[in-house]
């Protein structure tokens, strides 16, 4: 945690910022280890202080190391926070512009005069994009949990089961195996519902002949997994097999092109070029992938217009899909980590079309 805060201080110094007020829970957890739902982290160039209320003071002390001081807030919490900022001699205070409400901004500006408030664009997120070895190990465990859940669910799916039941079984399995929760609302889209890329699980009954797309993941010690597999209940038609093979090949194209030093949008472009050559690009309407970590969607984005360079320590998903209204859809998604000279595909589940 000390190293992360020190990296943040270098960033602040480069922008002539005296201190940063961190409001986002994921971000203050990343910097301190504190997982409570209410906290305000003040990071100056010399020290760091977490402000929270009496419900969390003991928890904060137990979860954080001694480099961050815990201060209890009362009912006049904003006055306490503003006074502490002034006491530290802060002249220029940065804040996360995505997470400070206008109402709180107005109150702070009034109480902190003449301190200058400076909006910053995701300052902690820019640090989180590069994962250390411990973070990668936790993501690997979360991905392995999802892999095991996929193996399990294959024995559960049968004609007559509801999509919601499949989602519940997936979540229950991963929680039983050590997950603290699901990383997002699971997508289980069968039959023609598979044409909806974000078709969250419904009460639809799964029928023989359906393609079933399952997009799911869990949280393990704070870190997320995210995977998608499409299976067929019963013998697939020739059109279903063709659609699946195109997506499976698109996944190969994307992961083959992905490596450290490549620009994120170029990976997406490579897959789009492949699908365009197959006259199927019109059925691919989302980005190829996204970063993964403490949140299920993080930078970098593998999408048009994404100019980030892929670097060692970045963890991304690769998830091509084709969606045809009135027919259904196919998506396959893997999690990939960038190492110094190559990549590692963390998702171990097979990519062939499974017939149940």
């Amino acid at each position: 945690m000390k190293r992360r805060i020190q990296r943040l201080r270098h960033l602040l110094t480069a922008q002539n910022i005296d201190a940063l007020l961190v409001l986002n829970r994921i971000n203050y957890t990343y910097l301190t280890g504190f997982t409570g739902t209410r906290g305000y982290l003040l990071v100056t160039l010399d020290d760091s202080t977490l402000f929270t209320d009496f419900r969390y003071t003991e928890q904060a002390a137990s979860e954080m190391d001694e480099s961050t001081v815990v201060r209890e807030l009362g009912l006049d919490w904003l006055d306490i926070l503003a006074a502490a900022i002034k006491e530290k001699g802060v002249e220029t205070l940065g804040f996360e512009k995505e997470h400070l409400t206008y109402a709180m901004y107005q109150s702070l500006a009034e109480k902190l005069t003449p301190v200058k408030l400076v909006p910053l664009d995701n300052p902690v997120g820019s640090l989180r994009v590069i994962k250390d070895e411990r973070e990668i190990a936790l993501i690997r465990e979360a991905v392995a949990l999802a892999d095991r859940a996929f193996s399990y669910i294959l024995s559960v799916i049968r004609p007559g089961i509801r999509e919601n039941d499949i989602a519940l079984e997936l979540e229950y399995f991963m929680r039983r195996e050590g997950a603290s929760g699901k990383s997002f609302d699971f997508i289980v889209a069968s039959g023609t519902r598979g044409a909806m890329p974000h078709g969250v699980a419904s009460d639809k009954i799964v029928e023989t002949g359906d393609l079933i797309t399952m997009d799911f993941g869990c949280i393990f010690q704070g870190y997320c997994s995210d995977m998608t597999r499409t299976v067929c209940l019963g013998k697939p038609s020739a059109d279903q097999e063709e659609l699946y093979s195109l997506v499976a090949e698109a996944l190969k194209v994307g992961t083959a092109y992905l490596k450290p030093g490549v620009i994120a949008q170029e990976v997406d472009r490579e897959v789009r070029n492949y699908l365009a050559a197959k006259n199927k690009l019109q059925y691919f309407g989302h980005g190829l992938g996204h970063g993964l970590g403490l949140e299920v969607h993080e930078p970098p984005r593998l999408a048009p217009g994404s100019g980030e360079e892929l670097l060692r320590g970045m963890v991304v998903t690769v998830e091509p899909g084709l969606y045809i209204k009135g027919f259904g859809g196919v998506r396959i998604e893997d999690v990939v980590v960038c190492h110094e000279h190559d990549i590692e595909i963390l998702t171990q589940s097979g990519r062939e079309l499974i017939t149940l």
Side-chain angles (χ1 to χ4, degrees), residues 25-26 138-139 142-143 145-146 149 167 170-172 174-175 179-187 198 200 215-228 290-298 317 319 333 335:
R25 185 181 66 83
I26 296 294
L138 292 174
I139 295 171
V143 171
L145 252 175
L170 284 166
E171 182 179 358
Y172 176 70
M174 290 188 287
R175 282 182 176 272
S180 60
K182 59 183 182 180
S183 48
F184 56 94
D185 288 335
F186 295 168
I187 293 166
H198 275 197
V200 294
D215 188 344
F216 58 97
C218 68
I219 302 171
F220 179 77
Q221 294 187 28
Y223 285 82
C224 298
S225 60
D226 185 5
M227 72 174 285
T228 307
H290 54 83
L292 185 71
L294 287 168
E295 294 179 288
V296 74
H297 291 106
E298 298 185 352
T317 67
E319 48 183 300
E333 176 185 18
V335 176

Side-chain angles (χ1 to χ4, degrees), residues 130-194:
I130 303 294
K131 275 66 179 179
D132 59 31
E133 289 303 319
R134 177 183 175 275
E135 291 179 287
I136 291 171
L138 292 174
I139 295 171
R140 183 179 280 108
E141 287 294 328
V143 171
L145 252 175
D147 274 327
R148 296 201 298 275
F150 177 65
S151 296
Y152 164 74
I153 206 65
L154 297 179
S155 67
V156 174
I157 298 173
R158 63 187 184 282
I161 193 172
R162 299 181 310 156
E163 292 174 351
N164 275 327
D165 294 327
I166 295 172
L168 286 169
E169 289 284 349
L170 284 166
E171 182 179 358
Y172 176 70
F173 179 91
M174 290 188 287
R175 282 182 176 272
R176 188 178 61 204
E177 292 290 305
S180 60
K182 59 183 182 180
S183 48
F184 56 94
D185 288 335
F186 295 168
I187 293 166
V188 181
S190 61
T192 58
R193 290 191 75 250

